């Protein structure tokens, strides 16, 4: 009998522990276009760093290849910068088109709360027989709606 089956040291039956346990992801998976551009950028940056390292060693040895490799390293740096910017732009574009999670700030929440209170007060005043709402004397209830708090019409 194996040690992970059958009776344990205390005489009780031991259960088998699962080999693979699924854990929920900490962050959501990146969208496909963003992941594609990120992989591309990592490959370009890795190749550029390798080229820059080789250029450095060729410069130390005073090889004739140092100058052409230095030009290639400069071009690679420009392409790598483009690759990183491509990831950033692709991510921003994806978020704007498909995945913006809107979480209102506390200021927006407060303004909405005030607008709801003003709307309730206006409706209550309209139901109570046309008395002026609590917003001030001489106001016509319901003329400018729930956005009166914001100054919009």
């Amino acid at each position: 009998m194996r040690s992970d089956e059958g009776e344990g040291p205390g005489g009780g039956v031991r259960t088998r522990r699962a080999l693979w346990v699924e854990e929920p992801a900490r962050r959501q998976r990146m969208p496909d276009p963003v992941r594609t551009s990120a992989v591309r950028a990592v490959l370009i940056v890795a190749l550029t760093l390798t080229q820059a390292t080789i250029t450095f060693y060729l410069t130390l040895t005073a090889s004739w290849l140092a100058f052409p490799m230095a030009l290639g390293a400069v071009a690679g740096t420009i392409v790598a910068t483009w690759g990183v910017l491509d990831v950033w732009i692709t991510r921003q574009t994806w978020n704007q088109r498909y995945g913006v999670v809107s979480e209102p700030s506390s200021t927006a929440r407060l303004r909405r709360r005030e607008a709801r209170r003003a709307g309730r007060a206006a409706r209550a005043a309209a139901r109570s027989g046309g008395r002026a709402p609590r917003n001030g004397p001489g106001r016509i209830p319901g003329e400018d709606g729930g956005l009166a708090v914001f100054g919009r019409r």
Side-chain angles (χ1 to χ4, degrees):
M1 182 179 284
R2 294 191 337 217
S3 63
D4 60 348
E5 291 181 326
E7 293 185 16
V13 177
R14 292 178 67 185
T15 59
R16 269 190 118 162
R17 200 176 69 172
L19 182 63
W20 184 267
V21 178
E22 281 286 328
E23 292 183 8
R26 292 183 197 164
R27 291 175 26 165
Q28 285 186 345
R29 182 175 161 168
M30 283 191 292
D32 287 339
V34 177
R35 190 169 51 249
T36 302
S37 64
V39 168
R40 186 184 321 121
V42 166
L43 290 174
I44 292 171
V45 168
L47 288 174
T48 302
L49 288 174
T50 304
Q51 187 176 14
T53 304
I54 292 171
T55 303
F56 173 73
Y57 288 132
L58 287 174
T59 303
L60 288 179
T61 60
S63 173
W64 66 272
L65 281 174
F67 182 69
M69 288 290 286
L71 292 178
V74 169
T77 302
I78 293 169
V79 172
T81 304
W82 166 83
V84 173
L85 284 175
D86 181 46
V87 174
W88 183 63
I89 291 169
T90 305
R91 183 173 167 265
Q92 294 298 324
T93 304
W94 178 269
N95 283 338
Q96 285 179 1
R97 287 184 185 164
Y98 305 107
V100 174
V101 177
S102 178
E103 294 181 6
S105 66
S106 59
T107 306
R109 221 174 278 127
L110 180 64
R111 285 183 154 184
R112 276 203 326 267
R113 192 176 299 134
E114 289 173 357
R116 282 194 301 267
R117 284 182 187 151
R120 283 188 207 119
R123 284 191 301 275
R127 279 189 297 244
S128 67
R131 292 192 324 238
R134 287 187 252 173
N135 293 2
R139 298 280 306 205
I140 300 173
E143 179 181 32
D144 43 13
L147 295 177
V149 175
F150 303 122
R152 294 186 233 154
R153 296 189 184 265

